[in-house]
Amino acid sequence: MRVLVVGGGGREHALVWKLAQSPRVERLFCAPGNAGIEMLATCVPIRATDMEGLLELVRREKIDLTVVGPEGPLAAGIVDRWESEGLKIFGPERRAAALEASKVFAKEFLQRHGIPTARAAVFSAPDAARAYVRSLGAPCVVKADGLAAGKGVVVAATVAEAERAIEDMMVRRVFGAAGEKVLIEEKLEGEEASVIALTDGRSVLPLLPAQDHKAVYDGDQGPNTGGMGAYAPAPVVGESTLQRVCQEILEPVVRGLAAEGVVYRGALYAGLMLTKDGPKVLEFNVRFGDPETQPLLYLLQSDLLPALEATREGRLDEVELSWHPGAALCVVLAAAGYPGAARLGDEIQGLEELAAEEEVMVFHAGTKREDGRWLTAGGRVLNVTARGRNLLEARERAYQAVKRLSFAGMHYRRDIGLKALKYLEG
Ligand code: AMP
Ligand code: GLY
C-alpha cells in the first residue's frame, strides 16, 4: 500500500514511524513532513491545509490511504472531499470535526445528550458575557468558540481577569473569528487526563489513557502550549474510570452523533477532568493528540495500519490492540520564545549519538536539515520519547537522553510524569 500522512509535527513523525513498520506499507509519503520524517518517508512540501495540492499529490502518486494528523484539514472537510472523489482517508467528516472546531457546538451537543461536562453559557455579545461573569463570580473559564491552537482558553482566578479575556477575544479579536462567540463555564477541580479512542461510528476502542502537560513551565505555571510532554498509561485513569469514560462519555458521543446523522470514523480524543463526581469533558479533539500520540505509538505493539483500515471500514469490532508492558514518556524540547513567536534556525547537537540508543526514540516536531546540519524549524522542536518497565524507568531514560541533546535557547519541563509518580506512591 501507498500511504500519505498529512502534517509535519511530532505526532506525524510517530505515525510515519509506526506505519513504516507495517508489512503492508510499500511507500510512505508525508506532507509537508520534517527532517526526522524525511528519514522514513518521502516528504512533499505541501501545507496540510492545501487541499487541492494534496489531492493532486494523491492522484499523482496513486496513494491508497491518506491519514490526517492535524485538525485544520478535518475542519475544512478534507474527508468529505476525499470520499466524494472515491479516495480512502482516515479521519472524521467535517460535521463531526465541529466537535473540536466549535466549542459552542460541542457544549450544546453534550448538553443535548446529557453527557457530563462543566456547566456553561454561550455569548455572542461582550456586554452580556461581562454581566454573566459578574453574576457568576470567579473562578471561571472563558473559551473562544473556534480553533485557536490550544490558546483560546483562559482559566480566570478573578472577575477582572475573566473580563480581560472577554475583551481580548470578543472586542480585540486576538483569535480572529474564533472569538465571535465565547463560552463562560464553571471551573472544574480534579486531575486532567486524555483518553483517545478509535471509533467507526459504532464500536469504541480506547487506546491507553494518557496525560499531557499543557503549561509551559514546571508545576503547570505559565501560558498554555500545544503540550510540553506526555506519558502513558496514566495511572489516575484506572480500569473502572476508563470504563466510565467509555460508557458515560465516548459511547454516548458516538451514538448521539449517529442519531443526528453523523457517523464518526477516526480518532476521538476526550480531554477530561476527573472530578469527585466522575469524569467530565473539558474538550474534544477529532484526531490523535500531540504529544500524547508519541508515547502511545511507541508502546503500541500491534500493527497500526489494520486498525486504521478497520476504523474506516466499520469493522473496528474485529480489532484488538496489544501493548508493550510498562510505560512510555515523552519530553518536548522547545525553541527560544515558545509558546510565543519562536526563534528558528538554531543548530541541534546530539541527534546522531542518540540514534542507536535502546528504548529511546527522538521524534522530530520542528526540524530541518541544511548542509548536513540539523536546525530548529518550529516552536516545538524534538519529542524525546522513552520506554521502560514502569513509568519511573521510562522517565529516567527520557531525561538521560534529553541531557545529550542541545540547541541555543532550548527549554523543556523537568517535571513530566512527576504527578503520576506521586500518585503511584499514594
Ligand atoms: P481546552 O482546550 O478546552 O482543553 O482547555 C485548555 C485547558 O484549560 C485544559 O487542559 C484545562 O487545563 C483548562 N480548562 C478548560 N476548561 C476547564 C474547566 N471547565 N475547568 C478547569 N479547567 C479547565
Ligand atoms: N495534546 C493536546 C492536543 O493534541 O491538542
Side-chain angles (χ1 to χ4, degrees), residues 169-397:
M169 291 176 196
M170 303 192 85
V171 182
R172 294 182 48 229
R173 290 292 170 95
V174 293
F175 305 116
E180 243 161 60
K181 291 185 190 167
V182 300
L183 275 162
I184 315 267
E185 66 180 47
E186 64 171 324
K187 182 176 179 226
L188 297 176
E189 303 293 341
E191 272 255 29
E192 279 189 62
S194 317
V195 176
I196 303 170
L198 295 176
T199 175
D200 60 2
R202 285 182 302 143
S203 306
V204 169
L205 180 60
L207 310 183
L208 297 176
Q211 194 169 50
D212 189 9
H213 297 64
K214 289 215 166 93
V216 67
Y217 304 125
D218 285 6
D220 295 328
Q221 300 298 305
N224 270 348
T225 68
M228 292 297 287
Y231 60 86
V236 292
V237 186
E239 192 58 45
S240 66
T241 303
L242 185 60
Q243 216 169 41
R244 280 189 78 173
V245 170
C246 287
Q247 288 170 359
E248 295 171 21
I249 294 169
L250 294 168
E251 288 161 13
V253 166
V254 170
R255 274 200 308 272
L257 284 170
E260 297 183 13
V262 181
V263 181
Y264 194 113
R265 294 194 197 93
L268 175 60
Y269 169 131
L272 303 165
M273 189 70 89
L274 307 175
T275 73
K276 63 176 182 8
D277 304 320
K280 295 189 180 182
V281 176
L282 291 177
E283 65 157 346
F284 290 115
N285 294 319
V286 295
R287 50 173 173 78
F288 291 111
D290 188 350
E292 290 93 328
T293 301
Q294 289 80 312
L296 283 169
L297 292 185
Y298 202 40
L299 277 179
L300 181 65
Q301 241 162 2
S302 317
D303 189 349
L304 180 63
L305 182 71
L308 300 184
E309 288 182 300
T311 301
R312 218 190 58 75
E313 292 164 12
R315 300 183 286 103
L316 191 58
D317 54 355
E318 296 171 10
V319 175
E320 233 177 286
L321 297 176
S322 59
W323 301 90
H324 284 276
L329 182 138
C330 163
V331 181
V332 172
L333 307 185
Y338 181 78
R343 190 177 73 211
L344 312 179
D346 288 307
E347 182 168 359
I348 305 165
Q349 307 285 353
L351 278 171
E352 258 92 22
E353 296 88 284
L354 270 179
E357 190 73 14
E358 304 250 336
E359 303 294 288
V360 173
M361 179 67 207
V362 180
F363 294 113
H364 292 222
T367 60
K368 66 176 182 181
R369 195 118 163 99
E370 227 173 67
D371 307 324
R373 299 184 310 152
W374 302 93
L375 303 178
T376 65
R380 291 190 287 180
V381 179
L382 296 169
N383 303 155
V384 182
T385 310
R387 255 183 331 229
R389 280 168 301 181
N390 51 46
L391 193 62
L392 182 65
E393 191 177 273
R395 184 171 190 277
E396 278 173 2
R397 207 168 261 150

Side-chain angles (χ1 to χ4, degrees), residues 141-185:
V141 184
V142 183
K143 298 186 174 186
D145 176 37
L147 293 176
K151 293 167 192 164
V153 173
V154 174
V155 181
T158 63
V159 169
E161 204 184 325
E163 289 195 54
R164 220 165 26 245
I166 292 167
E167 181 76 18
D168 285 344
M169 291 176 196
M170 303 192 85
V171 182
R172 294 182 48 229
R173 290 292 170 95
V174 293
F175 305 116
E180 243 161 60
K181 291 185 190 167
V182 300
L183 275 162
I184 315 267
E185 66 180 47

Side-chain angles (χ1 to χ4, degrees), residues 191 211 231 233-236 391 417-426:
E191 272 255 29
Q211 194 169 50
Y231 60 86
V236 292
L391 193 62
L418 264 195
K419 259 194 267 180
L421 293 181
K422 291 210 179 98
Y423 177 89
L424 288 171
E425 282 165 13

